[in-house]
Amino acid sequence: MAYKILQKQELIPGQTSLLVIDAPQIASKAKPGNFVILRIDEKGERVPLTIADKDPEAGTITIVFLVVGKSSAQLNALQQGDEILDVCGPLGKPTHIEKHDTVICVGGGTGIAAMHHIAKGHHEAGNHVVAIIGARSKDLLLFECELDGFCPEVLVATDDGSVGHKGFVTDLLQKRLEEDKSVGEVVAIGPVPMMEAVARVTKPFGVKTTVSLNSIMVDGIGMCGACRCTVGGETKFACVDGPEFDGQKVDFNELKARLWQFRDQEQESMEHYKKECTCGKH
Amino acid sequence: MPEQPADVRAGNFREVALGYSMEQALLEAGRCLQCKVPLCQKGCPVEIDIKGFIAKICEKDLDGAYAVIRETNSLPAVCGRVCPQETQCEGNCILGKKFEPVAIGRLERFVADTFMAKNACETVTGKQECSMERDDRKVACIGAGPSSLTVAGYLASKGIKVTVFEALHEPGGVLIYGIPEFRLPKSIVANEVAAMQELGVDIKVNWVGGKTVTIQDLQQEGFDAIFIGVGAGLPRFLNVPGENLVGVFSANEYLTRVNLGRAYDFPGYDTPTYMGKNVVVLGGGNVAMDAARTAKRMGADSVSIVYRRTQDAMPARLEELHHAIEEGVAIKALCGPIAFNGDDKGNLVSMDVQKMCLGEPDESGRRSPVCLEGETETIPCDMAVIAVGTRPNPILLEATPDLELNKWGYIEADPETGETSMPNVFAGGDIVTGAATVISAMGAGRRAAMEIARRLL
Ligand SMILES: Cc1cc2nc3c(=O)[nH]c(=O)nc-3n(C[C@H](O)[C@H](O)[C@H](O)COP(=O)(O)OP(=O)(O)OC[C@H]3O[C@@H](n4cnc5c(N)ncnc54)[C@H](O)[C@@H]3O)c2cc1C
Ligand SMILES: Cc1cc2nc3c(=O)[nH]c(=O)nc-3n(C[C@H](O)[C@H](O)[C@H](O)COP(=O)(O)OP(=O)(O)OC[C@H]3O[C@@H](n4cnc5c(N)ncnc54)[C@H](O)[C@@H]3O)c2cc1C
Ligand code: SF4
Ligand code: FES
């Protein structure tokens, strides 16, 4: 059975897209924090992507992805009505949602999409959710409206100051934590350096900090160990023990090194794809 | 049996053993004494009527031989290739006391391969088309490894509707993602699976038991019995420093990338894998042999297997160990890993091992390795593969709190019937016994299937 793309939206042309996929069984089970592993075609690799939203009634899940290499470029070449060969999920432990007065959800880049589903979960549990989102510039910002729909506050930072605060999400977070003592948890999803920076900012405040690790995965069901990371000195498997962990305990340097493992081959794959691809965009 | 020469095969992923011709098979089958009390059959975990199928080969009735094997074994082409025959059927064969035992495994493989192209339904049930005799009865299997496929094959041949839910994108379990192409071609597994589908088995891939669908869901959907055959996939690591350096892999990851992801065909297929020049493999079982031989084929300059005990204590099949040595894999016995060393970028550059010797025999009579104080060695390597065993995979177990587990975390199941602490929920294979063999997983599947059939028919 293949999985049909019901809707495609290029959020940032050529760079970030959103797909709504027909996957009723996954939609009925998906919780915030879960991800899927998909394979575009027979020869594709297994690509993990966060479930950014779901609609159990319509039987759909939404994914948002950044074009970084061959597989994501190939995924981005698909259009509404096309099919994806495999979609497996929902995988990973769902977000652990507790009752707090205030929860700050920090999202960076494509991570905002993943953060959105988690923020929604916290909102539905009755928490006051402050969203802090950031990107390099205004046109790279995602999901601002969607977050506005349920977050009482959406704070924006851009590197170039084209909208909101000029600077990093961590500046806004720092300020907020200094002023607001009701914050029970900070959730951060985005590029590894951003999550690392968030953990550094929250540390002196002693606030619970959750980060979502995008380690390299193969099977996503705990059988390969590719996704292992060190958390609090112990080896954990991001796909079955996570992907969310306590940001204060994660060995980010190791995570970064492991994310680079296949760089040469990823480049080779991309070169190969550019030669063969006929979509005209590459 | 003819084989690809070692220097040729170490450079390709084609099957090592080439299989018998009809003449060779007849010659070998003719050696069987047709014993009154065939010891070989006792040594077989699913008790194939070995002399029966050999007699059919002698009559050149290969369909007949296949039907005899299929009475007890749903995956003969696989078993003929990967069973440790030297400790099972062939190990018991009376001829082996004085001469070479009958090459039962190779004959089994010959029969199954010859049969492959034919209609599975007709051979197994004697009918052209399979009808579901009891379509009011349905059984679910979780996982599509040898244990579940055995259950499915057996029940389907009895006319019961079976649905198999597999988490990965391809059915076959370890046969697909673990055991490499050169030992068990994927087309063989695919053929066995296709034969099962011809019997009416519905195989659903990308369904994770405990996530996409739970046991409770299946019970609510009216499945009369459920079989759990999810294997024991979670890899064990060594807990030595430096284990998460880039370049250190579990055998599962390495083999999965190469086999399931077809990384040996990169960039034709997209899954990348690490290309080590100097590779060290830790462990002494079939998994270690497969990883070492795979690394050789992926172009490594040197591959060594580091093992704590002596070479003859290695649990791998003898044939695989010999094949590995022939292909140029070095064996470093009596060495235990103590640390992996990396450069400033977190890449593996070498590993330290502790030399061992054999100590006094313990209560079991086995001599355990003991450290030779101060004698260590540093082995330069840019890739290490850890193949020291597995633990039970938690996904399904965590989602099914009613399942009773034993103290090692495996599912507690009745040894006779395979039934778990949940009524009409059965389990078998590696998730009950811990990592074992294809045939023992199939034996467990068969016992459970017979019990399920007894209850449902
Ligand atoms: C749990 C999880 C959730 C994720 N959610 C999202 C998401 O919602 N949106 C999104 O854009 N990205 C997400 N990612 C990252 C996404 O999987 C990678 O960007 C994608 O695999 C890149 O594939 P590629 O072939 O296009 O690029 P490649 O050229 O193969 O790789 C580019 C970079 O992507 C990373 N990467 C490559 N393969 C993998 C892999 N198998 N697993 C993880 N990272 C990999 C590496 O850092 C690599 O350097 C998630 C990753 C994980 C583990
Ligand atoms: C590299 C390697 C080489 C080996 N060589 C040999 C050999 O030469 N001879 C021999 O006899 N034995 C060998 N073995 C051992 C043998 O393969 C296993 O004992 C046997 O496959 C166990 O069968 P199983 O059905 O219990 O599980 P598996 O073969 O592990 O199959 C389990 C299946 O369940 C799926 N699964 C897991 N979790 C879920 C879930 N939650 N939902 C749905 N599906 C799930 C898995 O993806 C898998 O497909 C080898 C093992 C390995 C790893
Ligand atoms: S024990 Fe050996 S000789 Fe006797 S029936 Fe079995 S295979 Fe033939
Ligand atoms: S991705 Fe294989 S164990 Fe996590």
Side-chain angles (χ1 to χ4, degrees), chain B residues 53 56-57 61-77 108 111-116 119-120 123-124 191-192 195:
Chain B
F53 95 78
K56 294 280 183 201
I57 298 179
D61 174 9
L62 295 187
D63 281 359
Y66 188 81
V68 171
I69 299 175
R70 273 303 294 261
E71 270 170 31
T72 48
N73 185 332
S74 317
L75 302 168
E108 179 183 21
V111 171
D113 285 3
T114 314
F115 165 78
M116 267 315 171
N119 179 334
T123 316
V124 177
N191 275 327
E192 299 270 27

PDB file of all heavy atoms in Angstrom, chain B residues 53 56-57 61-77 108 111-116 119-120 123-124 191-192 195:
ATOM      1  N   PHE B  53      12.257 -37.723   2.729  1.00  0.00           N
ATOM      2  CA  PHE B  53      12.457 -36.830   1.578  1.00  0.00           C
ATOM      3  C   PHE B  53      13.674 -37.259   0.755  1.00  0.00           C
ATOM      4  O   PHE B  53      13.689 -37.130  -0.463  1.00  0.00           O
ATOM      5  CB  PHE B  53      12.482 -35.349   2.015  1.00  0.00           C
ATOM      6  CG  PHE B  53      13.811 -34.708   2.283  1.00  0.00           C
ATOM      7  CD1 PHE B  53      14.637 -34.286   1.242  1.00  0.00           C
ATOM      8  CD2 PHE B  53      14.226 -34.456   3.595  1.00  0.00           C
ATOM      9  CE1 PHE B  53      15.848 -33.652   1.503  1.00  0.00           C
ATOM     10  CE2 PHE B  53      15.436 -33.831   3.854  1.00  0.00           C
ATOM     11  CZ  PHE B  53      16.253 -33.436   2.805  1.00  0.00           C
ATOM     12  N   LYS B  56      12.598 -39.870  -1.655  1.00  0.00           N
ATOM     13  CA  LYS B  56      11.919 -39.279  -2.822  1.00  0.00           C
ATOM     14  C   LYS B  56      12.935 -38.730  -3.824  1.00  0.00           C
ATOM     15  O   LYS B  56      12.723 -38.801  -5.031  1.00  0.00           O
ATOM     16  CB  LYS B  56      10.976 -38.156  -2.388  1.00  0.00           C
ATOM     17  CG  LYS B  56       9.797 -38.631  -1.557  1.00  0.00           C
ATOM     18  CD  LYS B  56       8.711 -39.203  -2.421  1.00  0.00           C
ATOM     19  CE  LYS B  56       7.508 -39.599  -1.564  1.00  0.00           C
ATOM     20  NZ  LYS B  56       6.646 -40.582  -2.229  1.00  0.00           N
ATOM     21  N   ILE B  57      14.031 -38.144  -3.309  1.00  0.00           N
ATOM     22  CA  ILE B  57      15.055 -37.646  -4.245  1.00  0.00           C
ATOM     23  C   ILE B  57      15.610 -38.815  -5.044  1.00  0.00           C
ATOM     24  O   ILE B  57      15.762 -38.726  -6.265  1.00  0.00           O
ATOM     25  CB  ILE B  57      16.217 -36.941  -3.497  1.00  0.00           C
ATOM     26  CG1 ILE B  57      15.712 -35.725  -2.724  1.00  0.00           C
ATOM     27  CG2 ILE B  57      17.314 -36.511  -4.494  1.00  0.00           C
ATOM     28  CD1 ILE B  57      16.791 -34.985  -1.938  1.00  0.00           C
ATOM     29  N   ASP B  61      11.729 -37.902  -7.530  1.00  0.00           N
ATOM     30  CA  ASP B  61      10.426 -37.247  -7.330  1.00  0.00           C
ATOM     31  C   ASP B  61      10.654 -36.023  -6.435  1.00  0.00           C
ATOM     32  O   ASP B  61      10.465 -36.077  -5.219  1.00  0.00           O
ATOM     33  CB  ASP B  61       9.460 -38.244  -6.680  1.00  0.00           C
ATOM     34  CG  ASP B  61       8.134 -37.595  -6.308  1.00  0.00           C
ATOM     35  OD1 ASP B  61       7.889 -36.426  -6.703  1.00  0.00           O
ATOM     36  OD2 ASP B  61       7.334 -38.255  -5.605  1.00  0.00           O
ATOM     37  N   LEU B  62      11.041 -34.907  -7.052  1.00  0.00           N
ATOM     38  CA  LEU B  62      11.383 -33.739  -6.241  1.00  0.00           C
ATOM     39  C   LEU B  62      10.155 -33.050  -5.666  1.00  0.00           C
ATOM     40  O   LEU B  62      10.199 -32.500  -4.575  1.00  0.00           O
ATOM     41  CB  LEU B  62      12.224 -32.749  -7.060  1.00  0.00           C
ATOM     42  CG  LEU B  62      13.596 -33.279  -7.481  1.00  0.00           C
ATOM     43  CD1 LEU B  62      14.411 -32.188  -8.122  1.00  0.00           C
ATOM     44  CD2 LEU B  62      14.359 -33.879  -6.314  1.00  0.00           C
ATOM     45  N   ASP B  63       9.039 -33.091  -6.399  1.00  0.00           N
ATOM     46  CA  ASP B  63       7.802 -32.543  -5.837  1.00  0.00           C
ATOM     47  C   ASP B  63       7.433 -33.296  -4.576  1.00  0.00           C
ATOM     48  O   ASP B  63       7.033 -32.710  -3.561  1.00  0.00           O
ATOM     49  CB  ASP B  63       6.651 -32.658  -6.841  1.00  0.00           C
ATOM     50  CG  ASP B  63       6.723 -31.556  -7.894  1.00  0.00           C
ATOM     51  OD1 ASP B  63       7.651 -30.722  -7.800  1.00  0.00           O
ATOM     52  OD2 ASP B  63       5.855 -31.555  -8.791  1.00  0.00           O
ATOM     53  N   GLY B  64       7.563 -34.613  -4.665  1.00  0.00           N
ATOM     54  CA  GLY B  64       7.260 -35.460  -3.505  1.00  0.00           C
ATOM     55  C   GLY B  64       8.184 -35.121  -2.350  1.00  0.00           C
ATOM     56  O   GLY B  64       7.752 -34.997  -1.200  1.00  0.00           O
ATOM     57  N   ALA B  65       9.455 -34.939  -2.666  1.00  0.00           N
ATOM     58  CA  ALA B  65      10.423 -34.620  -1.618  1.00  0.00           C
ATOM     59  C   ALA B  65      10.056 -33.288  -0.971  1.00  0.00           C
ATOM     60  O   ALA B  65      10.094 -33.142   0.251  1.00  0.00           O
ATOM     61  CB  ALA B  65      11.829 -34.536  -2.223  1.00  0.00           C
ATOM     62  N   TYR B  66       9.657 -32.330  -1.813  1.00  0.00           N
ATOM     63  CA  TYR B  66       9.292 -31.010  -1.278  1.00  0.00           C
ATOM     64  C   TYR B  66       8.088 -31.114  -0.358  1.00  0.00           C
ATOM     65  O   TYR B  66       8.056 -30.534   0.727  1.00  0.00           O
ATOM     66  CB  TYR B  66       9.004 -30.031  -2.420  1.00  0.00           C
ATOM     67  CG  TYR B  66       8.814 -28.624  -1.930  1.00  0.00           C
ATOM     68  CD1 TYR B  66       9.911 -27.824  -1.639  1.00  0.00           C
ATOM     69  CD2 TYR B  66       7.535 -28.087  -1.732  1.00  0.00           C
ATOM     70  CE1 TYR B  66       9.754 -26.540  -1.159  1.00  0.00           C
ATOM     71  CE2 TYR B  66       7.370 -26.796  -1.257  1.00  0.00           C
ATOM     72  CZ  TYR B  66       8.483 -26.022  -0.978  1.00  0.00           C
ATOM     73  OH  TYR B  66       8.322 -24.753  -0.497  1.00  0.00           O
ATOM     74  N   ALA B  67       7.098 -31.911  -0.802  1.00  0.00           N
ATOM     75  CA  ALA B  67       5.889 -32.056   0.019  1.00  0.00           C
ATOM     76  C   ALA B  67       6.233 -32.661   1.379  1.00  0.00           C
ATOM     77  O   ALA B  67       5.700 -32.234   2.405  1.00  0.00           O
ATOM     78  CB  ALA B  67       4.862 -32.918  -0.720  1.00  0.00           C
ATOM     79  N   VAL B  68       7.158 -33.612   1.391  1.00  0.00           N
ATOM     80  CA  VAL B  68       7.558 -34.224   2.670  1.00  0.00           C
ATOM     81  C   VAL B  68       8.193 -33.155   3.575  1.00  0.00           C
ATOM     82  O   VAL B  68       7.867 -33.033   4.756  1.00  0.00           O
ATOM     83  CB  VAL B  68       8.549 -35.389   2.438  1.00  0.00           C
ATOM     84  CG1 VAL B  68       9.111 -35.867   3.780  1.00  0.00           C
ATOM     85  CG2 VAL B  68       7.873 -36.532   1.699  1.00  0.00           C
ATOM     86  N   ILE B  69       9.088 -32.366   2.998  1.00  0.00           N
ATOM     87  CA  ILE B  69       9.759 -31.347   3.825  1.00  0.00           C
ATOM     88  C   ILE B  69       8.740 -30.329   4.336  1.00  0.00           C
ATOM     89  O   ILE B  69       8.725 -29.966   5.510  1.00  0.00           O
ATOM     90  CB  ILE B  69      10.863 -30.616   3.026  1.00  0.00           C
ATOM     91  CG1 ILE B  69      11.933 -31.612   2.575  1.00  0.00           C
ATOM     92  CG2 ILE B  69      11.497 -29.516   3.868  1.00  0.00           C
ATOM     93  CD1 ILE B  69      13.006 -31.011   1.671  1.00  0.00           C
ATOM     94  N   ARG B  70       7.858 -29.897   3.420  1.00  0.00           N
ATOM     95  CA  ARG B  70       6.900 -28.850   3.794  1.00  0.00           C
ATOM     96  C   ARG B  70       5.911 -29.277   4.859  1.00  0.00           C
ATOM     97  O   ARG B  70       5.276 -28.454   5.496  1.00  0.00           O
ATOM     98  CB  ARG B  70       6.141 -28.355   2.556  1.00  0.00           C
ATOM     99  CG  ARG B  70       6.831 -27.237   1.798  1.00  0.00           C
ATOM    100  CD  ARG B  70       7.120 -26.024   2.666  1.00  0.00           C
ATOM    101  NE  ARG B  70       5.925 -25.346   3.124  1.00  0.00           N
ATOM    102  CZ  ARG B  70       5.426 -24.259   2.565  1.00  0.00           C
ATOM    103  NH1 ARG B  70       6.014 -23.726   1.535  1.00  0.00           N
ATOM    104  NH2 ARG B  70       4.348 -23.697   3.056  1.00  0.00           N
ATOM    105  N   GLU B  71       5.777 -30.613   5.041  1.00  0.00           N
ATOM    106  CA  GLU B  71       4.879 -31.052   6.124  1.00  0.00           C
ATOM    107  C   GLU B  71       5.319 -30.448   7.453  1.00  0.00           C
ATOM    108  O   GLU B  71       4.495 -30.179   8.323  1.00  0.00           O
ATOM    109  CB  GLU B  71       4.915 -32.574   6.241  1.00  0.00           C
ATOM    110  CG  GLU B  71       3.878 -33.257   5.371  1.00  0.00           C
ATOM    111  CD  GLU B  71       4.097 -34.754   5.329  1.00  0.00           C
ATOM    112  OE1 GLU B  71       4.596 -35.320   6.323  1.00  0.00           O
ATOM    113  OE2 GLU B  71       3.786 -35.352   4.281  1.00  0.00           O
ATOM    114  N   THR B  72       6.608 -30.271   7.622  1.00  0.00           N
ATOM    115  CA  THR B  72       7.060 -29.752   8.916  1.00  0.00           C
ATOM    116  C   THR B  72       7.834 -28.441   8.807  1.00  0.00           C
ATOM    117  O   THR B  72       8.070 -27.783   9.804  1.00  0.00           O
ATOM    118  CB  THR B  72       7.979 -30.767   9.625  1.00  0.00           C
ATOM    119  OG1 THR B  72       8.942 -31.222   8.681  1.00  0.00           O
ATOM    120  CG2 THR B  72       7.193 -31.938  10.157  1.00  0.00           C
ATOM    121  N   ASN B  73       8.259 -28.080   7.623  1.00  0.00           N
ATOM    122  CA  ASN B  73       9.123 -26.900   7.500  1.00  0.00           C
ATOM    123  C   ASN B  73       8.604 -25.951   6.423  1.00  0.00           C
ATOM    124  O   ASN B  73       8.533 -26.309   5.259  1.00  0.00           O
ATOM    125  CB  ASN B  73      10.547 -27.374   7.151  1.00  0.00           C
ATOM    126  CG  ASN B  73      11.535 -26.231   7.133  1.00  0.00           C
ATOM    127  OD1 ASN B  73      11.171 -25.087   6.864  1.00  0.00           O
ATOM    128  ND2 ASN B  73      12.781 -26.528   7.419  1.00  0.00           N
ATOM    129  N   SER B  74       8.255 -24.718   6.832  1.00  0.00           N
ATOM    130  CA  SER B  74       7.697 -23.769   5.863  1.00  0.00           C
ATOM    131  C   SER B  74       8.764 -23.015   5.082  1.00  0.00           C
ATOM    132  O   SER B  74       8.434 -22.295   4.158  1.00  0.00           O
ATOM    133  CB  SER B  74       6.846 -22.712   6.562  1.00  0.00           C
ATOM    134  OG  SER B  74       6.045 -23.292   7.520  1.00  0.00           O
ATOM    135  N   LEU B  75      10.023 -23.074   5.489  1.00  0.00           N
ATOM    136  CA  LEU B  75      11.035 -22.250   4.826  1.00  0.00           C
ATOM    137  C   LEU B  75      12.267 -23.090   4.448  1.00  0.00           C
ATOM    138  O   LEU B  75      13.391 -22.792   4.843  1.00  0.00           O
ATOM    139  CB  LEU B  75      11.495 -21.117   5.753  1.00  0.00           C
ATOM    140  CG  LEU B  75      10.445 -20.142   6.266  1.00  0.00           C
ATOM    141  CD1 LEU B  75      11.030 -19.284   7.383  1.00  0.00           C
ATOM    142  CD2 LEU B  75       9.949 -19.241   5.145  1.00  0.00           C
ATOM    143  N   PRO B  76      12.064 -24.163   3.674  1.00  0.00           N
ATOM    144  CA  PRO B  76      13.188 -25.079   3.439  1.00  0.00           C
ATOM    145  C   PRO B  76      14.374 -24.465   2.702  1.00  0.00           C
ATOM    146  O   PRO B  76      15.519 -24.798   3.006  1.00  0.00           O
ATOM    147  CB  PRO B  76      12.559 -26.213   2.622  1.00  0.00           C
ATOM    148  CG  PRO B  76      11.280 -25.684   2.098  1.00  0.00           C
ATOM    149  CD  PRO B  76      10.822 -24.622   3.035  1.00  0.00           C
ATOM    150  N   ALA B  77      14.131 -23.552   1.786  1.00  0.00           N
ATOM    151  CA  ALA B  77      15.266 -22.981   1.043  1.00  0.00           C
ATOM    152  C   ALA B  77      16.145 -22.166   1.989  1.00  0.00           C
ATOM    153  O   ALA B  77      17.348 -22.053   1.807  1.00  0.00           O
ATOM    154  CB  ALA B  77      14.774 -22.108  -0.099  1.00  0.00           C
ATOM    155  N   GLU B 108      18.327 -30.563   1.202  1.00  0.00           N
ATOM    156  CA  GLU B 108      17.103 -29.809   1.487  1.00  0.00           C
ATOM    157  C   GLU B 108      17.065 -28.555   0.605  1.00  0.00           C
ATOM    158  O   GLU B 108      16.055 -28.230  -0.028  1.00  0.00           O
ATOM    159  CB  GLU B 108      17.088 -29.411   2.962  1.00  0.00           C
ATOM    160  CG  GLU B 108      15.862 -28.603   3.365  1.00  0.00           C
ATOM    161  CD  GLU B 108      15.900 -28.142   4.817  1.00  0.00           C
ATOM    162  OE1 GLU B 108      17.003 -28.081   5.402  1.00  0.00           O
ATOM    163  OE2 GLU B 108      14.823 -27.842   5.358  1.00  0.00           O
ATOM    164  N   VAL B 111      16.264 -29.434  -3.059  1.00  0.00           N
ATOM    165  CA  VAL B 111      14.841 -29.701  -3.284  1.00  0.00           C
ATOM    166  C   VAL B 111      14.052 -28.390  -3.304  1.00  0.00           C
ATOM    167  O   VAL B 111      13.240 -28.143  -4.200  1.00  0.00           O
ATOM    168  CB  VAL B 111      14.284 -30.633  -2.174  1.00  0.00           C
ATOM    169  CG1 VAL B 111      12.774 -30.737  -2.267  1.00  0.00           C
ATOM    170  CG2 VAL B 111      14.929 -32.004  -2.271  1.00  0.00           C
ATOM    171  N   ALA B 112      14.327 -27.553  -2.318  1.00  0.00           N
ATOM    172  CA  ALA B 112      13.558 -26.311  -2.203  1.00  0.00           C
ATOM    173  C   ALA B 112      13.823 -25.396  -3.398  1.00  0.00           C
ATOM    174  O   ALA B 112      12.900 -24.806  -3.961  1.00  0.00           O
ATOM    175  CB  ALA B 112      13.918 -25.602  -0.907  1.00  0.00           C
ATOM    176  N   ASP B 113      15.077 -25.296  -3.813  1.00  0.00           N
ATOM    177  CA  ASP B 113      15.404 -24.421  -4.932  1.00  0.00           C
ATOM    178  C   ASP B 113      14.764 -24.919  -6.228  1.00  0.00           C
ATOM    179  O   ASP B 113      14.302 -24.129  -7.044  1.00  0.00           O
ATOM    180  CB  ASP B 113      16.921 -24.325  -5.126  1.00  0.00           C
ATOM    181  CG  ASP B 113      17.580 -23.462  -4.072  1.00  0.00           C
ATOM    182  OD1 ASP B 113      16.859 -22.998  -3.170  1.00  0.00           O
ATOM    183  OD2 ASP B 113      18.801 -23.251  -4.149  1.00  0.00           O
ATOM    184  N   THR B 114      14.760 -26.230  -6.392  1.00  0.00           N
ATOM    185  CA  THR B 114      14.182 -26.780  -7.612  1.00  0.00           C
ATOM    186  C   THR B 114      12.685 -26.518  -7.650  1.00  0.00           C
ATOM    187  O   THR B 114      12.095 -26.253  -8.688  1.00  0.00           O
ATOM    188  CB  THR B 114      14.405 -28.306  -7.675  1.00  0.00           C
ATOM    189  OG1 THR B 114      15.748 -28.567  -7.330  1.00  0.00           O
ATOM    190  CG2 THR B 114      14.110 -28.853  -9.043  1.00  0.00           C
ATOM    191  N   PHE B 115      12.096 -26.571  -6.456  1.00  0.00           N
ATOM    192  CA  PHE B 115      10.655 -26.418  -6.378  1.00  0.00           C
ATOM    193  C   PHE B 115      10.201 -24.974  -6.581  1.00  0.00           C
ATOM    194  O   PHE B 115       9.134 -24.712  -7.145  1.00  0.00           O
ATOM    195  CB  PHE B 115      10.166 -26.886  -5.007  1.00  0.00           C
ATOM    196  CG  PHE B 115       8.779 -26.441  -4.726  1.00  0.00           C
ATOM    197  CD1 PHE B 115       7.703 -27.100  -5.292  1.00  0.00           C
ATOM    198  CD2 PHE B 115       8.545 -25.319  -3.960  1.00  0.00           C
ATOM    199  CE1 PHE B 115       6.428 -26.649  -5.076  1.00  0.00           C
ATOM    200  CE2 PHE B 115       7.271 -24.864  -3.751  1.00  0.00           C
ATOM    201  CZ  PHE B 115       6.210 -25.529  -4.299  1.00  0.00           C
ATOM    202  N   MET B 116      11.051 -24.042  -6.103  1.00  0.00           N
ATOM    203  CA  MET B 116      10.720 -22.615  -6.047  1.00  0.00           C
ATOM    204  C   MET B 116       9.699 -22.096  -7.045  1.00  0.00           C
ATOM    205  O   MET B 116       8.802 -21.351  -6.710  1.00  0.00           O
ATOM    206  CB  MET B 116      11.986 -21.787  -6.252  1.00  0.00           C
ATOM    207  CG  MET B 116      12.685 -21.378  -5.014  1.00  0.00           C
ATOM    208  SD  MET B 116      11.607 -20.759  -3.780  1.00  0.00           S
ATOM    209  CE  MET B 116      12.785 -20.674  -2.454  1.00  0.00           C
ATOM    210  N   ASN B 119       3.817 -23.878  -8.006  1.00  0.00           N
ATOM    211  CA  ASN B 119       2.672 -23.417  -7.234  1.00  0.00           C
ATOM    212  C   ASN B 119       2.687 -23.961  -5.802  1.00  0.00           C
ATOM    213  O   ASN B 119       2.588 -25.159  -5.577  1.00  0.00           O
ATOM    214  CB  ASN B 119       1.405 -23.880  -7.961  1.00  0.00           C
ATOM    215  CG  ASN B 119       0.143 -23.484  -7.237  1.00  0.00           C
ATOM    216  OD1 ASN B 119       0.134 -23.296  -6.021  1.00  0.00           O
ATOM    217  ND2 ASN B 119      -0.929 -23.361  -7.973  1.00  0.00           N
ATOM    218  N   ALA B 120       2.849 -23.068  -4.864  1.00  0.00           N
ATOM    219  CA  ALA B 120       2.970 -23.491  -3.477  1.00  0.00           C
ATOM    220  C   ALA B 120       1.702 -24.169  -2.982  1.00  0.00           C
ATOM    221  O   ALA B 120       1.736 -25.176  -2.294  1.00  0.00           O
ATOM    222  CB  ALA B 120       3.260 -22.288  -2.595  1.00  0.00           C
ATOM    223  N   THR B 123       1.272 -27.848  -4.083  1.00  0.00           N
ATOM    224  CA  THR B 123       2.174 -28.801  -3.449  1.00  0.00           C
ATOM    225  C   THR B 123       1.818 -29.029  -1.988  1.00  0.00           C
ATOM    226  O   THR B 123       1.914 -30.131  -1.477  1.00  0.00           O
ATOM    227  CB  THR B 123       3.627 -28.304  -3.537  1.00  0.00           C
ATOM    228  OG1 THR B 123       3.827 -27.825  -4.846  1.00  0.00           O
ATOM    229  CG2 THR B 123       4.594 -29.402  -3.234  1.00  0.00           C
ATOM    230  N   VAL B 124       1.427 -27.964  -1.322  1.00  0.00           N
ATOM    231  CA  VAL B 124       1.171 -28.119   0.105  1.00  0.00           C
ATOM    232  C   VAL B 124      -0.212 -28.711   0.370  1.00  0.00           C
ATOM    233  O   VAL B 124      -0.378 -29.572   1.223  1.00  0.00           O
ATOM    234  CB  VAL B 124       1.333 -26.767   0.838  1.00  0.00           C
ATOM    235  CG1 VAL B 124       1.007 -26.919   2.303  1.00  0.00           C
ATOM    236  CG2 VAL B 124       2.753 -26.271   0.670  1.00  0.00           C
ATOM    237  N   ASN B 191      10.870 -15.385  -2.406  1.00  0.00           N
ATOM    238  CA  ASN B 191      10.108 -16.492  -2.982  1.00  0.00           C
ATOM    239  C   ASN B 191       9.324 -17.259  -1.921  1.00  0.00           C
ATOM    240  O   ASN B 191       8.179 -17.643  -2.130  1.00  0.00           O
ATOM    241  CB  ASN B 191      11.049 -17.480  -3.679  1.00  0.00           C
ATOM    242  CG  ASN B 191      11.351 -17.049  -5.096  1.00  0.00           C
ATOM    243  OD1 ASN B 191      10.509 -16.467  -5.760  1.00  0.00           O
ATOM    244  ND2 ASN B 191      12.561 -17.315  -5.539  1.00  0.00           N
ATOM    245  N   GLU B 192       9.980 -17.483  -0.785  1.00  0.00           N
ATOM    246  CA  GLU B 192       9.297 -18.211   0.292  1.00  0.00           C
ATOM    247  C   GLU B 192       8.103 -17.378   0.777  1.00  0.00           C
ATOM    248  O   GLU B 192       7.038 -17.913   1.078  1.00  0.00           O
ATOM    249  CB  GLU B 192      10.259 -18.471   1.464  1.00  0.00           C
ATOM    250  CG  GLU B 192      11.475 -19.323   1.116  1.00  0.00           C
ATOM    251  CD  GLU B 192      11.269 -20.822   1.298  1.00  0.00           C
ATOM    252  OE1 GLU B 192      10.120 -21.275   1.190  1.00  0.00           O
ATOM    253  OE2 GLU B 192      12.263 -21.536   1.535  1.00  0.00           O
ATOM    254  N   ALA B 195       5.335 -17.572  -1.715  1.00  0.00           N
ATOM    255  CA  ALA B 195       4.619 -18.847  -1.605  1.00  0.00           C
ATOM    256  C   ALA B 195       3.577 -18.769  -0.504  1.00  0.00           C
ATOM    257  O   ALA B 195       2.468 -19.305  -0.618  1.00  0.00           O
ATOM    258  CB  ALA B 195       5.614 -19.969  -1.322  1.00  0.00           C
TER     259      ALA B 195
END
